[in-house]
Structures are given as structure tokens and as C-alpha cells.
Amino acid sequence: MKLKRFLLRYFPPGITMEYKRSNGECVTKTIDLLGLTADSDPDQVAAQVVRDEQIAESRRPQVRKLAVELVEKMRSDPTQKFYLFKILRAHVLPLTNCAFNKMGDRFITGSYDRTCRVWDTMTGEELLTLEGHKNVVYAIAFNNPFGD
């Protein structure tokens, strides 16, 4: 496999590597940098990623540049903190998707269990269950432009 390019993910912080296989197929691998902070040293982050992922040493400057960008993003708004807020377990089978309304105070989940559920974002309370679908719920959305 040949490394084609790197893609940056701001939240949760990470770097995605895109590879091209000998048959032309593209595959990706994501490196989660969950321990990254505004005080992280980009040189150390780059060295660790290159070492752990067995990336060619010639690619280290690219990885360092991405680490610098992630650290700068964290420094730009030090009050912004991301953390696990709540775990909701209501569907019997895995989720297929999730969509938020425009205000962000409600969201809807679709599942392999053939149901949709509407939730209150802040409390995590289930507001409504939509049942009766004949198959897996693959697509969901709020009615825009109102989104309520």
C-alpha cells in the first residue's frame, strides 16, 4: 500500500491516512489523538505517530504540520472543552444515523431495530418513539427550514 495523503479531523482530534492499494482501491486508517491538549508538543506528537504507525521518516514534517494545526485550534478557544456528556442506550440494535434539529435542542436516531427515537439533547430524555417501519431506518432528517 502507498500512502497518498493525510486528512485532518478537529473533533475528536485525529489524523486520517489515505492509502492506495496495488489494485487501485483506496483505504483509510484513522489515528485518534484523544490525549492531545493545547500544551502538547507537536514534535513529540509527530514522532510518536511516525513511530507507532510506521510512516516513512520523510513524512514527519507533514505529520508535524497537522499536529501544529490541531494544537493551535485547541489554543484558539481554551474555554471549549469536549467531554463525554451522556450515554444513551435505548435501541435494541445498533444505530444507523443521527440528526440534530437546527436549534440543537433535539435529535433523532435511526436504528437497525426499525425504530426512530426523538431525544432532548440536554437531558437525554426520550421524547418520542416512531415504530412501524418495515425495514431498517437508513435515513432520517428534521423538516427544514423549521427543523422542529
Side-chain angles (χ1 to χ4, degrees):
M1 288 195 303
K2 181 177 180 179
L3 181 60
K4 284 181 57 176
R5 64 181 173 164
F6 293 105
L7 303 167
L8 189 61
R9 183 184 68 200
Y10 288 107
F11 179 76
I15 298 171
T16 299
M17 301 179 297
E18 190 175 278
Y19 290 96
K20 189 171 189 176
R21 290 189 173 158
S22 57
N23 65 2
E25 180 186 1
C26 286
V27 273
T28 59
K29 180 180 181 188
T30 300
I31 306 163
D32 292 322
L33 300 173
L34 302 177
L36 196 70
T37 66
D39 300 326
S40 295
D41 179 12
D43 291 317
Q44 289 178 348
V45 172
Q48 182 178 355
V49 168
V50 167
R51 182 182 62 249
D52 293 351
E53 301 301 325
Q54 300 175 354
I55 300 170
E57 195 63 37
S58 61
R59 297 284 195 142
R60 185 188 293 236
Q62 288 176 288
V63 176
R64 185 190 181 284
K65 185 177 179 183
L66 295 172
V68 166
E69 196 167 330
L70 284 171
V71 169
E72 288 301 318
K73 181 72 171 173
M74 291 180 157
R75 288 180 184 157
S76 67
D77 188 3
T79 61
Q80 186 174 9
K81 302 279 188 226
F82 295 103
Y83 58 93
L84 179 62
F85 180 68
K86 190 172 288 258
I87 296 175
L88 305 174
R89 298 184 197 277
H91 288 280
V92 177
L93 296 173
L95 296 182
T96 58
N97 47 39
C98 175
F100 287 83
N101 69 349
K102 283 189 172 190
M103 297 294 289
D105 61 339
R106 292 184 182 168
F107 67 97
I108 186 169
T109 56
S111 172
Y112 282 103
D113 66 8
R114 301 177 183 179
T115 65
C116 295
R117 297 176 192 260
V118 180
W119 305 85
D120 181 283
T121 302
M122 288 306 293
T123 65
E125 176 188 354
E126 183 181 328
L127 303 174
L128 179 66
T129 299
L130 304 170
E131 297 175 333
H133 299 90
K134 295 183 185 201
N135 207 336
V136 176
V137 179
Y138 286 113
I140 54 175
F142 279 90
N143 184 18
N144 293 324
F146 301 107
D148 54 3

